[in-house]
Each structure stands twice: as structure tokens, then as C-alpha cells.
Amino acid sequence: EVQLLESGGGLVQPGGSLRLSCAASGFTFFNYAMTWVRQAPGKGLEWVSSISGSAASTYYGDSVKGRFTISRDNSKNTVYLQMNSLRVEDTAVYYCAKELTGPYVLIDLDYWGQGVLVTVSS
Amino acid sequence: QSALTQPPSASGSPGQSVTISCTGTSSDVGGYNQVSWYQKHPGKAPKLMIYEVTKRPSGVPDRLSGSKSGNTASLTVSGLQAEDEADYYCISYAGSNNWVFGGGTKVTVL
């Protein structure tokens, strides 16, 4: 059974940093691209960042480019999202998700974690 | 990159059909056959319903179908059931390794 378990969320002040983790199980991790998607309170879904199966390719949404870094450790079956220079508008539930078809990023996401709340506030 | 345009709401009675549009430009929806649709219930994770415009993942009923014409993609839910009441989001590849979501459509089963 595929499982994705996010951790690392919490309350942080503007300008601060936080690292999210997503531990995966139930599939051959390095064979699949992974993506982070967020949803701010009362708002819609927003694509944040994606990483290919080999970690050779990483992609970022415009609103987080230069502040967030996605990475993965295929030996630990874990994908990370390092979030720096956090802003109030980064407050959201962050989901990690697995690519449906394989190691390339297409944002066809068939399994999702339960989400982790990040609150940026002073 | 601007969000794709979806109607804020749509509704139908049980057994009826509802179609949700997702309008972009030739740089995103119109330029690629990479449109997906997600269903989201409050407090739950999104669920992939359609990918590559028309394909259904395993387990998604054939009451759901996707299509595209020009710069507009559409999701049709036929034979509406109570469990179809949810928010629906489209997402499209927008070139240069960017993807953009629509604003979401709240579907109400009357």
C-alpha cells in the first residue's frame, strides 16, 4: 500500500525557515517523480515544486522560486521541501504527492499525503 | 503565470450531468495535451480524476470524462451522485517547466 507521510510543519515567523519532509512507502521510490502542492486557507490549490525520480531535474512555481528548495534522498525514500524567507502568504496546508506514471514530472499525481500545516505569522 | 479560469460553482440534481470548463491560453491548455483534473473534498487530499485531457486513472468511474477544444478543457460528471459534491481543479502544463492550476469549481448536488 502506497503511503506518504508529511512532517515538519508548524508556526514560524516571517523571514524564518522550515523544512518539510515526506516519507514514502509501498512503491519503488526512485522510479517516481514527486511534487509539493499547497492550499492556503479558503483558497485553491497551488503547484509549489516538483523533482524527478533521479533528482536531476527540479522545478518551482514563480511564487516560491529562489526561496524554496526541493530535494530527495532515494536511500531514505524521502522528499524534502526547504522553505526559506517565509512570508505570511506561504501559510497553507502543504501536500506531497507521487507521480502516476514514472520518473518524469507531469503533475499527474495519484497518491497524496494527508497534508501538513505551515503557518507564517508574527 | 495566471491561473486558469474555472467557474466558481456548478450544480445539478442527482442523475443529471454537470460540465466544468477550464479556460487558458495557447501557451498552456491550448498548447499541450497535459490537462489534469482533481477532486477535493474539504479536509481531504486531492484525488486525480482525469489526466492527459481524457484518461481516467484506475478506479475512477466512467461517469467522469474529459475533453478539450482550443484553449478550453472540460470535465463532465454524468449521473451525478451525492459523493460527487466537491471542489474540482484543473491543472495544465504551461511550458518552460511550469504548471498552473485553475481557481477551482465547487460542484453542488441539489
Side-chain angles (χ1 to χ4, degrees), chain A residues 37 39 43-47 50 58-62 65 95 100-101 105-110 112-115, chain B residues 1 34-36 38 40 43-48 50-52 57 87 89 91 96-103:
Chain A
V37 172
Q39 185 174 34
K43 303 292 186 181
L45 300 177
E46 180 185 10
W47 169 66
S50 300
T58 58
Y59 311 109
Y60 300 92
D62 288 343
K65 204 171 292 184
Y95 296 96
L100 170 69
T101 52
V105 177
L106 297 172
I107 320 293
D108 299 326
L109 306 170
D110 61 344
W112 296 65
Q114 82 288 352
Chain B
Q1 185 67 46
Q34 284 294 330
V35 177
S36 304
Y38 291 89
K40 190 176 186 307
K44 298 288 186 68
K47 178 183 178 182
L48 180 65
I50 295 288
Y51 67 103
E52 293 179 13
D87 295 325
Y89 295 88
I91 180 171
S96 302
N97 299 316
N98 272 300
W99 286 263
V100 61
F101 272 103

Side-chain angles (χ1 to χ4, degrees), chain B residues 2-107:
Chain B
S2 300
L4 305 177
T5 299
Q6 296 182 234
S9 62
S11 63
S13 299
Q16 289 186 331
S17 296
V18 64
T19 296
I20 304 164
S21 61
C22 170
T23 301
T25 69
S26 58
S27 297
D28 39 60
V29 175
Y32 309 93
N33 286 323
Q34 284 294 330
V35 177
S36 304
W37 290 89
Y38 291 89
Q39 177 192 64
K40 190 176 186 307
H41 289 104
K44 298 288 186 68
K47 178 183 178 182
L48 180 65
M49 307 305 280
I50 295 288
Y51 67 103
E52 293 179 13
V53 179
T54 61
K55 297 179 181 179
R56 276 188 309 276
S58 173
V60 172
D62 60 6
R63 301 187 294 107
L64 281 85
S65 61
S67 63
K68 191 182 84 167
S69 178
N71 297 335
T72 298
S74 298
L75 172 71
T76 297
V77 184
S78 304
L80 269 174
Q81 300 180 3
E83 68 232 40
D84 298 326
E85 185 161 296
D87 295 325
Y88 291 82
Y89 295 88
C90 62
I91 180 171
S92 173
Y93 182 60
S96 302
N97 299 316
N98 272 300
W99 286 263
V100 61
F101 272 103
T105 297
K106 182 177 181 60
V107 169

Side-chain angles (χ1 to χ4, degrees), chain A residues 1-74:
Chain A
E1 179 191 6
V2 172
Q3 290 192 334
L4 300 171
L5 185 62
E6 301 104 335
S7 61
L11 175 64
V12 62
Q13 291 189 338
S17 298
L18 214 54
R19 188 177 84 154
L20 304 183
S21 300
C22 173
S25 61
F27 63 101
T28 306
F29 185 67
F30 67 84
N31 279 345
Y32 293 90
M34 299 294 292
T35 288
W36 290 94
V37 172
R38 69 185 181 183
Q39 185 174 34
K43 303 292 186 181
L45 300 177
E46 180 185 10
W47 169 66
V48 174
S49 183
S50 300
I51 187 168
S52 63
S54 67
S57 300
T58 58
Y59 311 109
Y60 300 92
D62 288 343
S63 62
V64 307
K65 204 171 292 184
R67 300 187 299 123
F68 289 13
T69 302
I70 192 171
S71 63
R72 63 192 294 160
D73 186 337
N74 286 343

